[in-house]
Amino acid sequence: MDIIETIKEQIANNPVLLYMKGSPNAPQCGFSARASQALMACGEKFAYVDILQNPEIRANLPKYANWPTFPQLWVNGELVGGSDILLELHEKGELQQLVKGAAGKTEA
């Protein structure tokens, strides 16, 4: 399977997916740290891909996504954006709704 197919499969198979540097518990850059903290604060499970361990994904995802930087948050197959957008959505309370919706849950 070529790398673009791998990326498409990862995005399709994970309702909430964060491409980041490092892992949520051990981020390797400040932007990835802030993005993963905002996602963890939503209280839902999410998948992640450490692009530092996957150089082919790191090289090809920006072209596929038409988004040059990391982290990248994908929800239900759609690119939401990077760290700044995630933090903005989190501050407005919209990130939690987006993530909960993707997780198949509704607000009480």
Side-chain angles (χ1 to χ4, degrees), residues 40-105:
M40 287 189 283
C42 293
E44 299 294 337
K45 290 183 179 179
F46 64 93
Y48 76 92
V49 174
D50 178 357
I51 60 157
L52 298 177
Q53 300 296 319
N54 295 278
E56 279 193 85
I57 290 175
R58 184 179 186 178
N60 288 280
L61 183 60
K63 292 176 224 156
Y64 173 75
N66 199 23
W67 191 268
T69 58
F70 293 99
Q72 289 185 16
L73 175 64
W74 292 76
V75 176
N76 289 331
E78 297 289 324
L79 176 63
V80 175
S83 182
D84 292 345
I85 292 170
L86 259 77
L87 293 177
E88 189 177 308
L89 290 172
H90 181 63
E91 287 170 11
K92 292 179 180 176
E94 294 173 10
L95 182 62
Q96 188 171 14
Q97 290 176 323
L98 190 65
V99 170
K100 281 191 180 296
K105 299 185 178 181

Side-chain angles (χ1 to χ4, degrees), residues 1-9 60-61 63-64:
M1 184 178 336
D2 85 339
I3 195 64
I4 297 299
E5 289 303 314
T6 300
I7 290 169
K8 286 179 181 177
E9 190 175 283
N60 288 280
L61 183 60
K63 292 176 224 156
Y64 173 75

Side-chain angles (χ1 to χ4, degrees), residues 7 11 14-15 23 32 36 48 71-72 87:
I7 290 169
I11 291 168
N14 295 287
S23 70
S32 289
S36 60
Y48 76 92
Q72 289 185 16
L87 293 177

